[in-house]
Amino acid sequence: MHGNKQHLQKDFFLYNASKARSKTYINMREVSERFRLPPSEYVIVPSTYEPHQEGEFILRVFSEKRNLSEEVENTISVDRPVKKKKAKPIIFVSDRANSNKELGVDQESEEGKDKTSPDKPEKSPQPRPGNTDQESEEQLQFRNIFRQIAGDDMEVCADELKNILNMVVNKHKDLKTQGFTLESCRSMIALMDTDGSGRLNLQEFHHLWKKIKAWQKIFKHYDTDQSGTINSYEMRNAVNDAGFHLNSQLYDIITMRYADKHMNIDFDSFICCFVRLEGMFRAFNAFDKDGDGIIKLNVLEWLQLTMYA
């Protein structure tokens, strides 16, 4: 390890044998062991008789010289594009049209990665080989489906968004899912609704679908048996791959909130969790004006923020 404070992956335990461990035990009230180890750096992993159970343990270390020990915890953060301007706080849903500029920032970050700096002459954008026709066909497909369901106003509510997403997802035969629920679609609208209308236009929907496709790719990577679910351990790695860096307490909350009784998470719950994380990090960063990781909200701001999340 040598000073690494990050959560250890499964491969670490596959290729590093334990230096000491408790004997095979049954579900008793107490298990204790005493070990004598040479000076070094060690990882202590408590265990319970049944998986996914909480338990207490006590560790005593006797050493000739002063030693340091600490709980391994990650710093809570999210990978976000570099922004030139700080977004204003989101207080009321009706204020989003003027205060929340996150959608535009994300789009500029995705679409303008290859642009030159202001002091250099701009080059005409070159089409990416092999992707132009595919992207155009996908955009045309979305526009047709969107127009059929949205109607003349070209905006969709949660029910209509559910129909669109399920129509598209059902075409992915390699993804085993029963589709999105209405509650998940309401959360998606709350995340992407930048004009405070409670509905999504084609641009907002297309931006949402880009995020869903990226998260879907992560889900399929960990759903190796194509069962349509991933376990709680894989969920920890998936959350990290998506750019959300949490601590053990938050991972436990995610498992408790989104996993079934077998500690598995299906695709709909997986996307709903990522939508919630994206929205809450975005809102917190908007309120955190000085970037010190601390915000202050009154009861109205808190309820406005949580009720529409």
Side-chain angles (χ1 to χ4, degrees), residues 190-240:
L191 172 66
M192 304 307 303
D193 178 24
T194 57
D195 56 5
S197 64
R199 303 167 68 89
L200 296 185
N201 58 36
L202 180 60
Q203 180 186 14
E204 293 168 337
F205 171 76
H206 193 265
H207 187 62
L208 169 65
W209 179 245
K210 284 184 178 180
K211 289 185 175 293
I212 293 178
K213 282 201 304 181
W215 295 336
Q216 175 187 333
K217 184 177 180 181
I218 296 175
F219 183 87
K220 291 170 65 176
H221 172 73
Y222 289 102
D223 183 21
T224 54
D225 57 356
Q226 296 186 351
S227 63
T229 61
I230 61 176
N231 60 42
S232 56
Y233 176 80
E234 294 168 332
M235 184 63 175
R236 175 191 289 264
N237 294 331
V239 169
N240 187 72

Side-chain angles (χ1 to χ4, degrees), residues 94-303:
S94 58
D95 291 339
R96 293 190 174 212
N98 297 323
S99 63
N100 186 5
K101 305 300 182 182
E102 288 286 341
L103 179 58
V105 171
D106 287 347
Q107 286 177 333
E108 289 176 2
S109 175
E110 291 178 1
E111 299 174 0
K113 288 181 179 178
D114 297 331
K115 291 183 178 179
T116 57
S117 58
D119 57 339
K120 296 181 181 180
E122 295 185 358
K123 297 181 180 180
S124 58
Q126 297 295 329
R128 297 179 181 179
N131 290 338
T132 305
D133 295 337
Q134 182 180 358
E135 291 178 355
S136 300
E137 182 180 353
E138 185 181 57
Q139 291 177 0
L140 181 61
Q141 179 185 8
F142 274 123
R143 184 176 293 275
N144 291 335
I145 297 176
F146 198 89
R147 183 182 292 109
Q148 292 173 7
I149 297 180
D152 297 334
D153 60 352
M154 289 296 287
E155 289 187 340
V156 294
C157 61
D159 287 290
E160 294 169 333
L161 177 62
K162 174 185 173 183
N163 294 335
I164 296 176
L165 290 178
N166 288 339
M167 285 177 62
V168 177
V169 169
N170 288 337
K171 294 182 180 181
H172 293 263
K173 302 301 181 182
D174 57 339
L175 182 63
K176 186 178 179 181
T177 177
Q178 297 180 352
F180 294 101
T181 63
L182 180 61
E183 186 61 31
S184 297
C185 294
R186 285 170 175 164
S187 297
M188 295 177 194
I189 287 182
L191 172 66
M192 304 307 303
D193 178 24
T194 57
D195 56 5
S197 64
R199 303 167 68 89
L200 296 185
N201 58 36
L202 180 60
Q203 180 186 14
E204 293 168 337
F205 171 76
H206 193 265
H207 187 62
L208 169 65
W209 179 245
K210 284 184 178 180
K211 289 185 175 293
I212 293 178
K213 282 201 304 181
W215 295 336
Q216 175 187 333
K217 184 177 180 181
I218 296 175
F219 183 87
K220 291 170 65 176
H221 172 73
Y222 289 102
D223 183 21
T224 54
D225 57 356
Q226 296 186 351
S227 63
T229 61
I230 61 176
N231 60 42
S232 56
Y233 176 80
E234 294 168 332
M235 184 63 175
R236 175 191 289 264
N237 294 331
V239 169
N240 187 72
D241 290 352
F244 304 108
H245 310 294
L246 313 178
N247 60 17
S248 297
Q249 183 179 3
L250 290 174
Y251 285 122
D252 292 341
I253 291 175
I254 287 176
T255 301
M256 180 172 57
R257 172 65 176 82
Y258 294 100
D260 59 18
K261 61 181 180 180
H262 303 294
M263 297 299 166
N264 293 323
I265 300 172
D266 61 20
F267 182 66
D268 175 63
S269 299
F270 178 85
I271 296 297
C272 192
C273 174
F274 279 22
V275 167
R276 178 61 62 88
L277 284 172
E278 176 83 12
M280 298 308 291
F281 267 112
R282 176 183 295 183
F284 185 91
N285 290 335
F287 277 102
D288 187 15
K289 297 179 180 180
D290 52 6
D292 63 350
I294 300 175
I295 62 174
K296 183 177 180 180
L297 304 176
N298 60 40
V299 64
L300 176 60
E301 293 170 335
W302 168 252
L303 292 175

